[in-house]
Amino acid sequence: MDRLKDKVAIVFGAGPNIGGTIAHFLAREGARVCVSDVREEAARETAEFIRQRGWEAMSLAGDARNDDDVKRIVWQTVEKYGRLDIAVNMAGRVHWADVLGMQLDDWNDSVGSFATAGLLTTQHCARAMLACGARGSIIHLLSTAAHFGEADGAAYCAAKAALLNFARSAAMDLAHTGIRVNTVTPCSMEHQLWTTMRDEMFDPGWVKPERSGFYSRQEYLDQLPLRRFPRAADMAWATVFLASDESSCMTGADLPVDAGLRHKYPTWTPGKHDPIDIRDYAKATRVTRYGEEQEYLTDLLGDPT
């Protein structure tokens, strides 16, 4: 506790999974937090969750890809709390398509969105940090897509790779000011079992998509050396570390929070040597909201068997 006492943070991205969990953990460590999201309701619910637990939070709606919105969010945060020390950005749009079928509008929307949100959040937050004399920390959330090529993922991979190298460049530009810029890279997250991948897990009538880039949750789990998916709390703890003075000599760095996926030998499949059936994994998994464990996944969605 109190690792972030007297610090002020903005989290661009809300909801009960990654963004809201990060905001919760920052507040729990003593930061006063502005939660921002393009969806006003999501930002408001996250801020209310934090306040109900006795910590300080406010909510603001806005699009992190819009210059005026980001400028307003930063200005209103500083107006309320008097300073800015921490910024966390996870904003962007995702489009999946094979290279031959990729539409230019979708390409521009995806590739431009992550890099643009990265630029605007870094630019306006760094200016606010300089104005109040803070040696701040700016953190961008990536994906394994930033480091690999993925079938059907050309736009997303290009977008996240752009954000990765933008963050590295920004770290060098801001180093002389004492402002640090780092990134966190997760792989596929556990909460996707009950959000975007719930049909695959629990719908008896689910049919495997006929596209070359598809991989199942079982296939993904088989590649993870630690034999589990990362949770939102894992992302939040990494972010707390990068936001705190404990990482004061780190900038331009990327923290992989991926159960060892990035650093394993490509042809080694951990699941062959330590098999875990995805249905058994699901039965033992608890739903989390804002990093707090709730009901078992099977209580929420039924038994996958």
Side-chain angles (χ1 to χ4, degrees):
M1 295 298 227
D2 291 338
R3 295 163 71 188
L4 304 176
K5 185 178 180 181
D6 299 326
K7 294 184 183 293
V8 174
I10 300 176
V11 178
F12 294 93
N17 296 315
I18 296 176
T21 301
I22 288 173
H24 175 205
F25 279 39
L26 295 176
R28 198 167 65 180
E29 291 294 332
R32 292 166 288 171
V33 181
C34 170
V35 184
S36 171
D37 197 275
V38 69
R39 297 169 298 131
E40 182 178 2
E41 182 180 0
R44 185 173 62 250
E45 288 179 356
T46 298
E48 180 61 24
F49 173 90
I50 292 170
R51 288 195 296 267
Q52 286 176 351
R53 279 151 180 76
W55 299 299
E56 179 68 29
M58 63 182 287
S59 63
L60 292 172
D63 186 346
R65 301 172 299 162
N66 180 283
D67 187 59
D68 289 338
D69 280 2
V70 177
K71 185 177 182 179
R72 171 180 52 80
I73 290 163
V74 172
W75 180 81
Q76 288 183 281
T77 301
V78 174
E79 183 182 46
K80 180 173 178 65
Y81 294 130
R83 59 183 296 109
L84 181 63
D85 303 275
I86 301 159
V88 181
N89 163 53
M90 54 180 294
R93 293 286 297 276
V94 181
H95 290 282
W96 299 101
D98 178 270
V99 166
L100 296 178
M102 175 63 66
Q103 300 298 305
L104 183 59
D105 287 346
D106 290 344
W107 170 268
N108 288 337
D109 187 39
S110 183
V111 173
S113 69
F114 285 98
T116 298
L119 169 66
L120 294 177
T121 56
T122 299
Q123 196 172 63
H124 288 294
C125 290
R127 288 170 178 165
M129 291 170 182
L130 288 171
C132 70
R135 298 173 70 85
S137 175
I138 299 172
I139 303 152
H140 297 285
L141 273 58
L142 302 177
S143 161
T144 47
H147 306 273
F148 300 103
E150 182 176 0
D152 295 334
Y156 188 51
C157 292
K160 287 294 191 176
L163 181 58
L164 170 62
N165 271 330
F166 165 78
R168 288 169 171 165
S169 296
M172 300 304 105
D173 281 339
L174 295 171
H176 71 283
T177 70
I179 295 173
R180 301 179 294 113
V181 184
N182 294 290
T183 57
V184 180
T185 295
C187 63
S188 186
M189 301 290 293
E190 190 171 87
H191 65 255
Q192 291 176 316
L193 296 179
W194 63 84
T195 56
T196 56
M197 311 296 181
R198 62 188 295 165
D199 290 344
E200 176 187 339
M201 291 297 305
F202 295 95
D203 182 359
W206 178 81
V207 177
K208 179 180 177 180
E210 291 297 327
R211 57 181 179 85
S212 61
F214 177 78
Y215 42 83
S216 69
R217 292 304 89 190
Q218 181 68 64
E219 291 172 303
Y220 210 116
L221 179 60
D222 286 344
Q223 296 300 317
L224 299 178
L226 287 181
R227 313 305 296 121
R228 73 169 178 90
F229 295 99
R231 302 177 184 111
D234 299 314
M235 291 290 292
W237 282 126
T239 304
V240 166
F241 169 68
L242 290 175
S244 75
D245 294 338
E246 296 162 15
S247 59
S248 62
C249 200
M250 292 177 62
T251 197
D254 176 65
L255 291 185
V257 183
D258 62 1
L261 178 64
R262 193 197 310 177
H263 300 301
K264 81 175 187 68
Y265 196 75
T267 56
W268 176 55
T269 301
K272 290 183 178 180
H273 305 279
D274 183 14
I276 300 174
D277 188 282
I278 190 65
R279 292 166 297 183
D280 293 332
Y281 186 96
K283 289 178 183 178
T285 299
R286 285 185 180 271
V287 172
T288 60
R289 298 184 183 91
Y290 303 108
E292 295 184 348
E293 289 189 346
Q294 310 289 326
E295 68 270 35
Y296 278 101
L297 181 54
T298 51
D299 294 335
L300 176 68
L301 298 175
D303 191 327
T305 60

